[in-house]
Amino acid sequence: MRFLVGAGIGYVLGAKAGRGRYEQILRAYRRITDHPAVQGAAGIARAKVEELRR
């Protein structure tokens, strides 16, 4: 889901700025989402959601 949101935002911004800018936005998005701190926070959030579902 988050990939689709990021890709959609990147597409819209990239369409206005050209393919090079789109690729730059996409690389930045991937760099952020692949960062260990972001991955850790996402894991904690998923665990909390699972706790609340029980």
Side-chain angles (χ1 to χ4, degrees):
M1 179 67 179
R2 87 182 146 159
F3 174 76
L4 294 176
V5 170
I9 291 170
Y11 176 79
V12 169
L13 294 175
K16 291 182 179 181
R19 181 72 181 181
R21 179 70 177 141
Y22 168 77
E23 292 295 334
Q24 183 183 19
I25 292 167
L26 192 57
R27 281 191 306 271
Y29 168 77
R30 288 183 178 152
R31 190 171 41 247
I32 291 167
T33 58
D34 290 342
H35 192 279
V38 174
Q39 292 293 321
I44 291 169
R46 277 191 292 273
K48 294 287 185 184
V49 169
E50 285 301 317
E51 278 182 27
L52 293 173
R53 287 184 180 175
R54 294 182 203 169

